[in-house]
Structures are given as structure tokens and as C-alpha cells.
Amino acid sequence: MTQFAAPQFVSPSAASTVLDVARLANVSASTVSRILNGNARVSPDKREAVEEAIRKLKFRPNLSARSLRSRSTKTIGILTQDLESPYFTGGTKGIEQGLLGSGYAPLVVPGHWNLAEELDRARLLISRKVDAMIILGGTLGDDHIAEMAQQQPIAVTGRHLVAANVYSFHFDQVAGGRMATEHLISLGHKRIAHITGPVTHSDAVERKEGYLQAHANARLSVDPRLIVEGDYVEEGGERAINSLLDSKVPFSAVFCANDPTLWGARLALHRRGIEVPGQISLVGFDDMPQSMYMTPPVTTVRQPMHQMGQVAAQAVLRALGLVDMESYPLPSLNLVVRETTASFDL
Amino acid sequence: MTQFAAPQFVSPSAASTVLDVARLANVSASTVSRILNGNARVSPDKREAVEEAIRKLKFRPNLSARSLRSRSTKTIGILTQDLESPYFTGGTKGIEQGLLGSGYAPLVVPGHWNLAEELDRARLLISRKVDAMIILGGTLGDDHIAEMAQQQPIAVTGRHLVAANVYSFHFDQVAGGRMATEHLISLGHKRIAHITGPVTHSDAVERKEGYLQAHANARLSVDPRLIVEGDYVEEGGERAINSLLDSKVPFSAVFCANDPTLWGARLALHRRGIEVPGQISLVGFDDMPQSMYMTPPVTTVRQPMHQMGQVAAQAVLRALGLVDMESYPLPSLNLVVRETTASFDL
DNA sequence: ATTGGCTGTGAAATCGATTTCATGATTTTT
DNA sequence: AAAAATCATGAAATCGATTTCACAGCCAAT
């Protein structure tokens, strides 16, 4: 990598203020402010002069000052978990899109699945006086969220929480797990393994519950040796498949708790020369963008995080009094069948 | 999806201020401020009382007020392009890590590869009085950046820019293109196709230049029919491979201008039953996280965006006067050979 | 002609913290 | 023991915008 450093430090040129503008335009600061906000009548000639001065001075209002006085930062805080994971970036992008044109800007901070850090970041957002907050998943307690909602409206995804000033949205993870498993069952699979997510994630245990329910509904027994714990990332999927294979317990399909788990599993299978879906069928969860371009493209339960983000953005906007906006439909989970699953014939 | 709305709106409970704390602790606001910032001696008993009051009132300082007075927001603005693309999220995460423990928080805004939008977002960051700015790629003109650098230090990646108060970092894209192509040539390939990026991206044209140079160095002629334009996303890769194959011009390897292009190409090849790397070798560019888990894992030129982000963060931190921090090594491009390339034997 | 209602404008108050300044108390120095 | 230096602290000024308030000028209604 090549680096080019600045020759020397230059002290920042002082930014101009309303007062500078006022002086140049021969009006008072109040008039400048009125023109900036367009909420009062001002004579056309003064308006002209002020606009000219603003242009000349390249004036940009100081948002700290503005929000100190007007108690609105026009900012929505987003507490996400991982800045890199497609699951969260999908949601973030949806929020950003939902906010588009509303005049509100997103402020994104990562919590890293760590309670202390999440709490700290959330408080940072409150300190910054965000007008509303959107929490994507995470491990914050319901009581914490309810308490923070006293300061500003909060939309939260991935949980069901009834409290004043909070709007919660979530997908039915049990139903998702059921869907994935039922698809496999309908293809004739009888010995279906499951690589779970971390037991600390409630959605992981719900997906497993769905896997169990699907078996019960079909009056199929589940072999506990076929359930192995993963960690929601690729390595866990590889490890799990290898231990499954090494245990010699037979199975013809695997329901992976999320897509990265499936990717890891798929690579391990490839390394061992086992064909997908020829010998083993695979179903994932999340439908992350890359899943569509795997070889072969993966069958997975789609979580429309993008739309979820839009809906969450919309909810807080509405809570802030912006009612005149197009309404996005509430999305739901759905199975997208691609090519990692095939019917099982004895 | 299930939605749960708040029963009714509750007016936010007023946040407490230094004055509230001061009153409760029987001291002046100045004393509270001194304790908050720890920059002056205060008697232990008052400190105790104030800390108690802070806890009791759940006091959090208003950052708008603080930054208005102290002229520092403790925030670094990050202008990225796409909140979802691994290339940018890698850099963002690196920055976040580089900022860790410095007391500065990142504020991320997306520019969407659109000049007007980038300019608008950059101005937003300036309005918010970020202490420094990091620009990841994008289409802003050098002059714009130099001008904005008068307000605060700026680190910019993906270009070479010498100006006061700006720090620029970039990888040598020509060398990267050369590396990828030389690898293929060293494996015995003679007819190497190239799927380019958009001609509007300077790094795309530089990568192509590297491809050309590698051929020249090896005294190999390049068949212009083997160079086809892509768009840096999967669809373009698919399209390009199909048109290449349909043209019947023979080739045994493809240098794809970035990893998503390769993913698209790889899928198209799979659909046509062509084996990778058995029949066609593929080299990508970027080493995005998923590339490692494709089937087979992809050979690609690694751009360590993560480290680039760390270095950029470090540069601005240093510009802001934080000199006492561990120094990350400057990363460089390197070829990571995995399994989409094989030697070509007639 | 007088009262009443608008309208455009500037002066001053305000938001909540930090920082400067002044002061009285305490400690150190000579 | 007197002078000097240091310390802890509160009052007041300050950051840059918005907002309230007061008022002068103007038009219309009585």
C-alpha cells in the first residue's frame, strides 16, 4: 500500500455563523434563522441578500447548536450488532431506505453481541439525543429497552415486546424452522440432521423448536445424535458436518440454523467428495445475498431483513409525527427453494 | 411478520442536566463539569456526592451542548458508498476497530456512488462537526476533498491525493491486475479472458491495465475479443461469461475484475456444466469474506480493506493529536491461491 | 379620525454544557 | 510571622443557533 501524508497541518479555517451571515446581509441573526427554516414570512429582498451571503460564506449551520436549542437532531440511532454481517447490513440498508427523503439521517453503532457494549452504545445514542432509536436484534434486556423508550421512541426487531413508546417486529422463527424441515420431509427425507445456532440466541432455539415440531407433525422421530451445535458462522458448520460424518450416524439431509453455517457445511462436504444435493440435501436460513450465487445456489428460508428495516424506519417516523408517507407492506418469512435440496429415494 | 405497537404515546421524560445534578449534590454546575471531565482537582466528598447524584438521576451529558462549547464532537465521519457491500463494510469495520478505545465514535453515511449524494452526505458530516472524516472510495473530486479538508483532517482511500490536511492511502491496482494475470500465465494459460469492471471506475481500468502489462511482459498477445465489460456485480459476471462462451472464441482462464463478478461467472459456468477449475480457471479480486467458502474456494487478489480501515483511522487519530497508540502495519495486496485455478495442459 | 389587527424585524432569552475569572481558604516558602 | 503560592469552588461568560417578545409600520374597519 502506498501512503501520502499531508505536508503539514493546517489549522481549520473557522466556519462562519449566522451572525457572520447576518452582518454581511445587513439583517439580524433572527432573520437569517427564519430564512434557514422557512417558517416565517420574510421580505423578498432580505431573503435574497441572506441567500447571497450564505453562498458567499459557504455557511452551514452548526447542528450541535441547532439541536441544543430545538431539541431535535433529525437523527435516528441504529443499534446493530455487526457492521459486516449481511443479516444486519440488510436491515440497516432497509432502514436507510425507509428514512430516505424524511430529512432524518441514520447514525449506526455496533453492539457486537455483547451486553455491556450494547448498553454503552445505546447510551451513546441517547447522549447524542437521537430523535428515535432502532435496535436490530441483540441481547439487551426488555426492561432496559422499555426504560430507554422513555427518552425517545424505539423500534426493536427480533423480539416481542409490549411497552410504552416501543414498537417491536419479528419473524416467527419457529414457523421458519418448521418450513425448512417440512420441505425436507416432503422430499422424502427421514433422517434429517440439524446444526443449531448458539443456545444463547433465542431465535436459534426457536428454529430448533420448529425442526422438532415438523418431525412431530409428520410423526417422525428425531435422532438426538443428529442434532449438533453450531455457532452461526462458517467454521461451526464445517466442524458440525465433520463430527456428524465421523459419528457414522446416517442422515440424508441437514437443516442449518443459518446460511453461513450452511456454507461451512457445504465446503466440508465438498472436501470429502460428498455431492450436494446428490447425496446430502441442505437447507439454510436467512437467504443472505451470496446464497443465491453459491454452487449450487442454496435453498433457504428467506428473512426479508431489508423490508423489516423499512418497516422499522417507518414505525419510528410515524411515532415522530411524520404520518404522510407511503406504507410498506409487512413482510413475512418464506422458503426459497433453489438447488441444494433434492428428493430422497431409497 | 408480527407487529406489536405501543399502546399509546408517552411523552419522553425530561432528561436531567448538570444543574439538576449540581442542585442534588449541593455544588455548582462547574464542579459537576469538572468531575465529568476529570481535568481538575475536586475534594473527595463532593466528588462522592456528585457521583451519587449522577447515578440517582441517571444523568447523561447532552452531547450537543458539550460539543457546542468544547468544539469537539468526538466523532469521526465515515463516508462509505454501500452499507451492504463487503468491500465497504470491511473497511468500515477496520475503521471501527482502529477507533476502539480512542473515545471517538464512527458516524457512517452512505454515498451510493453518486456525486451529488456524496457531496450532500459529506456536508452533513461537516455540519455535524465531525472531528475528522474518512472517505472510502467514491466519486468526489480531488478539489472538493481538498477544500473540505480545511474544516477538519480527512483520510481518503483508493486515490492518491496530496493536499494540506489530507491523508491518502491506496493499493496499487495495476500491480494487482498483473499479479492475478501472471498467476494464470505461470500455470500455462495462454488464452486468458478478462471481465472488466465499469469503465467509470478508475480502479477497474487500472486492473485491466495490469492484465495488459502481464501479457506484454510475458510476450503474449491479447485477443481483444476476450475482454468483455462487466459491472462489478454478479449479474455482469454471468452475462459476460455467457457472451464469451457464445462467441466461441476459445479461452481457458478468466481474470474477473472483482469477486462478485467471479461468483456470477462461476454460477453461469456451473449451469452450463463447465467445471472449475477442470475446464476453466478463475481468478477474482478483493477476497471478499464469502470467497473462501465458495465451491471451490476462490483464488483471488486480496485487498486487506480491514487493515486499510485501521490505518486510515490511525491516520486521522494522529492528525487529531492522539500520538500514543499502537501502530498498525501498512498492508499490501497479495494473491491468495485457493482452488479455482489449475494448470493448463494442452 | 380612531381603534384594531397584521406583518416584518431586531433585541434578548434560551438550550446545557465547558471554561474563564475571581475569591476566600489553605499551604508553603522565606 | 509575613508573604507567596496553591487550591477548591462558584458566578458568569460562552459556544451558535432558535424562539419569544416587543414594537414600529401599515392597512382596514368602525
Side-chain angles (χ1 to χ4, degrees):
Chain A
M1 196 172 71
T2 337
Q3 185 208 153
F4 300 91
Q8 81 285 338
F9 182 78
V10 174
S11 79
S13 71
S16 42
T17 73
V18 275
L19 213 69
D20 299 326
V21 173
R23 265 192 291 265
L24 186 60
N26 262 313
V27 297
S28 75
S30 334
T31 301
V32 176
S33 170
R34 284 191 261 260
I35 288 169
L36 248 29
N37 297 287
N39 46 16
R41 242 165 302 274
V42 175
S43 76
D45 52 330
K46 307 218 171 198
R47 153 163 284 122
E48 183 51 51
V50 168
E51 278 166 356
E52 170 71 17
I54 288 178
R55 234 171 298 120
K56 220 174 243 160
L57 295 173
K58 292 187 212 286
F59 167 77
R60 306 237 88 213
N62 179 326
L63 289 196
S64 300
R66 174 179 292 195
S67 74
L68 174 59
R69 181 64 234 238
S70 63
R71 346 227 51 178
S72 158
T73 53
K74 290 285 176 194
T75 310
I76 307 290
I78 304 178
L79 178 60
T80 183
Q81 294 305 319
D82 187 335
L83 291 177
E84 229 177 341
S85 144
Y87 177 84
F88 291 102
T89 58
T92 308
K93 197 166 180 181
I95 293 172
E96 198 224 321
Q97 218 154 94
L99 255 30
L100 218 65
S102 68
Y104 286 83
L107 201 178
V108 184
V109 297
H112 296 135
W113 290 111
N114 171 235
L115 183 59
E117 197 169 343
E118 288 176 55
L119 212 50
D120 185 68
R121 299 308 185 119
R123 288 211 248 259
L124 178 76
L125 292 176
I126 294 180
S127 275
R128 273 173 207 268
K129 292 275 175 288
V130 295
D131 294 343
M133 207 157 136
I134 299 177
I135 300 179
L136 294 177
T139 61
L140 247 30
D142 284 359
D143 42 345
H144 273 132
I145 294 183
E147 190 196 315
M148 295 193 301
Q150 298 183 289
Q151 309 275 319
Q152 75 289 103
I154 297 184
V156 53
T157 72
R159 73 177 81 197
H160 171 188
L161 172 52
V162 178
N165 226 1
V166 355
Y167 305 84
S168 72
F169 303 92
H170 80 292
F171 298 118
D172 185 341
Q173 305 293 319
V174 178
R178 226 187 300 120
M179 259 163 151
T181 313
E182 277 164 0
H183 170 60
L184 259 9
I185 293 175
S186 76
L187 287 171
H189 294 276
K190 301 227 156 15
R191 300 198 52 83
I192 303 172
H194 176 38
I195 308 180
T196 71
V199 287
T200 50
H201 280 46
S202 62
D203 50 2
V205 335
E206 286 167 22
R207 288 171 199 180
K208 176 175 163 189
E209 175 59 23
Y211 162 86
L212 264 15
Q213 282 186 10
H215 279 78
N217 293 347
R219 313 207 176 282
L220 269 174
S221 65
V222 345
D223 184 338
R225 292 171 304 171
L226 288 181
I227 301 183
V228 4
E229 191 179 336
D231 53 10
Y232 269 176
V233 299
E234 293 88 345
E235 286 77 14
E238 284 183 273
R239 229 179 359 248
I241 274 292
N242 284 327
S243 86
L244 232 25
L245 255 15
D246 292 342
S247 75
K248 306 277 195 238
V249 183
F251 62 96
S252 64
V254 186
F255 165 39
C256 304
N258 74 352
D259 280 3
T261 301
L262 182 148
W263 302 338
R266 198 266 174 278
L267 178 60
L269 256 9
H270 172 71
R271 294 243 179 278
R272 291 187 173 223
I274 298 174
E275 274 168 33
V276 174
Q279 297 171 264
I280 301 265
S281 285
L282 256 28
V283 181
F285 207 113
D286 283 349
D287 193 23
M288 292 189 178
Q290 288 77 16
S291 283
M292 191 174 158
Y293 282 96
M294 300 299 285
T295 316
V298 342
T299 295
T300 184
V301 176
R302 182 163 168 62
Q303 296 216 76
M305 283 308 291
H306 193 271
Q307 289 166 65
M308 170 84 108
Q310 292 192 149
V311 171
Q314 192 179 37
V316 298
L317 249 22
R318 213 193 297 277
L320 290 172
L322 280 249
V323 282
D324 51 329
M325 26 179 233
E326 53 178 318
S327 143
Y328 302 104
L330 288 185
S332 67
L333 286 183
N334 58 297
L335 181 76
V336 3
V337 178
R338 287 198 278 245
E339 304 163 35
T340 49
T341 46
S343 63
F344 177 72
D345 14 51
L346 261 200
Chain B
M1 195 171 70
T2 337
Q3 188 209 152
F4 300 91
Q8 81 286 339
F9 183 78
V10 173
S11 77
S13 71
S16 43
T17 74
V18 274
L19 213 70
D20 298 326
V21 173
R23 264 192 291 265
L24 185 60
N26 261 313
V27 298
S28 73
S30 335
T31 302
V32 176
S33 170
R34 284 190 264 260
I35 288 169
L36 248 30
N37 298 287
N39 47 16
R41 243 164 301 274
V42 175
S43 76
D45 53 329
K46 307 218 171 204
R47 152 163 283 122
E48 185 50 52
V50 168
E51 279 168 354
E52 170 70 17
I54 287 177
R55 234 171 298 118
K56 219 173 245 161
L57 294 172
K58 290 185 212 285
F59 167 78
R60 304 238 89 213
N62 179 325
L63 290 195
S64 300
R66 177 184 295 211
S67 76
L68 174 59
R69 179 66 232 239
S70 63
R71 346 226 47 167
S72 159
T73 53
K74 292 288 178 191
T75 311
I76 307 290
I78 303 178
L79 178 60
T80 183
Q81 293 307 318
D82 188 335
L83 291 178
E84 229 178 339
S85 144
Y87 177 84
F88 291 102
T89 57
T92 306
K93 195 165 180 181
I95 294 173
E96 198 224 320
Q97 216 153 97
L99 256 29
L100 218 65
S102 68
Y104 286 83
L107 201 178
V108 184
V109 297
H112 294 137
W113 291 112
N114 171 234
L115 183 57
E117 197 170 343
E118 288 177 54
L119 212 49
D120 184 66
R121 298 309 186 119
R123 287 211 249 259
L124 177 76
L125 291 177
I126 295 179
S127 274
R128 274 174 205 267
K129 293 276 176 290
V130 294
D131 294 342
M133 207 158 136
I134 299 177
I135 300 178
L136 294 176
T139 61
L140 246 30
D142 285 359
D143 43 346
H144 272 130
I145 294 182
E147 189 195 313
M148 294 192 303
Q150 297 184 289
Q151 310 274 322
Q152 76 287 104
I154 297 184
V156 54
T157 72
R159 74 177 78 197
H160 170 187
L161 172 52
V162 178
N165 226 0
V166 357
Y167 305 83
S168 72
F169 304 93
H170 80 292
F171 298 118
D172 185 341
Q173 305 293 319
V174 178
R178 226 187 299 118
M179 260 163 150
T181 313
E182 278 164 359
H183 170 61
L184 259 8
I185 293 175
S186 76
L187 288 171
H189 294 276
K190 301 227 153 25
R191 300 198 52 82
I192 302 171
H194 177 37
I195 308 179
T196 72
V199 288
T200 50
H201 280 45
S202 63
D203 50 3
V205 335
E206 285 167 23
R207 289 172 198 180
K208 176 176 164 187
E209 174 59 23
Y211 162 87
L212 264 16
Q213 282 186 11
H215 280 80
N217 293 347
R219 312 206 177 286
L220 269 176
S221 64
V222 344
D223 184 337
R225 292 172 304 173
L226 288 180
I227 301 182
V228 2
E229 190 178 336
D231 53 10
Y232 268 175
V233 297
E234 292 89 345
E235 286 77 15
E238 285 184 273
R239 227 178 3 247
I241 275 292
N242 284 328
S243 88
L244 232 26
L245 255 15
D246 292 342
S247 76
K248 305 276 194 242
V249 184
F251 62 96
S252 65
V254 186
F255 165 38
C256 304
N258 74 351
D259 280 3
T261 301
L262 183 148
W263 301 338
R266 198 267 174 276
L267 179 60
L269 257 11
H270 172 73
R271 292 241 179 279
R272 289 185 174 227
I274 298 173
E275 273 167 35
V276 174
Q279 296 170 268
I280 301 266
S281 285
L282 256 27
V283 181
F285 208 112
D286 283 348
D287 192 22
M288 291 189 180
Q290 287 77 16
S291 282
M292 189 171 161
Y293 282 96
M294 299 299 286
T295 317
V298 342
T299 295
T300 183
V301 176
R302 180 162 168 61
Q303 294 216 77
M305 284 307 292
H306 193 270
Q307 289 167 65
M308 171 83 108
Q310 292 192 148
V311 171
Q314 193 179 36
V316 298
L317 248 23
R318 213 193 297 278
L320 290 172
L322 278 250
V323 281
D324 52 328
M325 26 179 232
E326 54 177 318
S327 143
Y328 301 104
L330 287 186
S332 67
L333 286 182
N334 60 295
L335 182 75
V336 1
V337 179
R338 287 197 278 246
E339 304 163 34
T340 49
T341 46
S343 64
F344 177 71
D345 16 51
L346 259 201

